Amino acid sequence: MTKFSPCFLLPLLFIFTQTSLITRSNPTFVQSVKLNPLKLKTEKLSHFRFFWHDKYSGPNPTAVNIIPPPITNKTNSNGFGTVSMIDDALTDKPEPGSKLLGRAQGFYGIASQEEIGLLMAMNFVFSTGKYNGSTITIMGRNSVFNKVREMPVIGGSGLFRFARGYVQASTHSFDIKTGDAVVEYNCYVLHY
Ligand SMILES: *[C@@H]1O[C@H](CO)[C@@H](O)[C@H](O)[C@H]1NC(C)=O
Ligand SMILES: *[C@@H]1O[C@H](CO)[C@@H](O)[C@H](O)[C@H]1NC(C)=O
């Protein structure tokens, strides 16, 4: 009669235990899922154009410097490390006081040691018509002295669920004394 050594049986035991574990955690290999459970319509491309008002001056600033530039030899030349928090108005025209369409809420910081290159992270929160309450999220690099800067749209909520796209920002006016700026934003976004 053949005698099985325990050394031979142990690996088999191991395989059986592992298999049963896998079977228990993944009961089915494939399941059918309802088509379009979120009832998404056809994806479309929308182009929004508005003006972004970054206002440091006056009694009601919408942009505040929350982290001043650190004082080191290398960095005091261009403000590397500076961070501002914003709740800027988005309007249909460049003039202050023109029709409010929403707000840009978030922050930006000087992330480049060489030029003035910002990292921007902000949500466009719309307050007009059917877009009221829907948001678009922008996160990207902004070399503010370039004529046109492009930043990605990385997502959205409400009417902008699954949003992707890009914005092009171009400075309309900039006051070097106060830091106030008006920037035209052209936003191209794919959404449903
Ligand atoms: C700035 O540079 C000077 C001379 O180049 C040096 O003595 C000083 O320690 C430096 N300061 C800092 C904060 O690095
Ligand atoms: C936008 O939504 C808010 C909150 O639901 C509401 O208070 C406000 O009146 C709405 N504005 C417009 C213009 O529909």
Side-chain angles (χ1 to χ4, degrees), residues 69-87:
I71 305 148
T72 68
N73 284 0
K74 173 90 178 133
T75 56
N76 54 17
S77 57
N78 75 343
F80 175 64
T82 308
V83 178
S84 288
M85 187 67 79
I86 60 166
D87 184 5

Side-chain angles (χ1 to χ4, degrees), residues 3-164:
K3 200 169 161 242
F4 287 111
S5 80
C7 299
F8 177 72
L9 280 173
L10 267 177
L12 276 180
L13 188 68
F14 178 76
I15 289 165
F16 283 129
T17 6
Q18 290 304 299
T19 316
S20 61
L21 272 179
I22 289 163
T23 317
R24 233 176 285 140
S25 57
N26 292 312
T28 50
F29 172 54
V30 59
Q31 293 173 270
S32 70
V33 176
K34 263 190 204 147
L35 273 178
N36 201 1
L38 296 175
K39 298 187 176 64
L40 297 174
K41 301 194 180 86
T42 320
E43 195 173 33
K44 56 177 176 284
L45 177 66
S46 301
H47 172 197
F48 297 90
R49 179 176 174 264
F50 42 77
F51 293 85
W52 178 96
H53 298 256
D54 209 26
K55 190 167 170 285
Y56 284 90
S57 66
N60 300 308
T62 61
V64 286
N65 175 236
I66 53 167
I67 304 178
I71 305 148
T72 68
N73 284 0
K74 173 90 178 133
T75 56
N76 54 17
S77 57
N78 75 343
F80 175 64
T82 308
V83 178
S84 288
M85 187 67 79
I86 60 166
D87 184 5
D88 287 348
L90 301 174
T91 65
D92 67 336
K93 294 202 180 72
E95 293 74 34
S98 43
K99 188 177 186 278
L100 188 70
L101 303 172
R103 307 202 73 89
Q105 298 175 339
F107 55 85
Y108 57 78
I110 301 178
S112 170
Q113 291 183 300
E114 304 301 326
E115 41 174 329
I116 307 289
L118 306 182
L119 164 72
M120 300 196 71
M122 62 181 169
N123 294 312
F124 292 155
V125 192
F126 295 100
S127 57
T128 186
K130 67 173 180 173
Y131 298 104
N132 188 17
S134 292
T135 66
I136 290 177
T137 302
I138 310 328
M139 165 110 169
R141 180 171 194 271
N142 186 356
S143 304
V144 289
F145 291 120
N146 287 1
K147 193 163 166 27
V148 180
R149 293 88 69 182
E150 192 169 305
M151 288 172 275
V153 168
I154 60 164
S157 72
L159 288 179
F160 300 110
R161 283 178 182 175
F162 297 112
R164 58 209 164 97

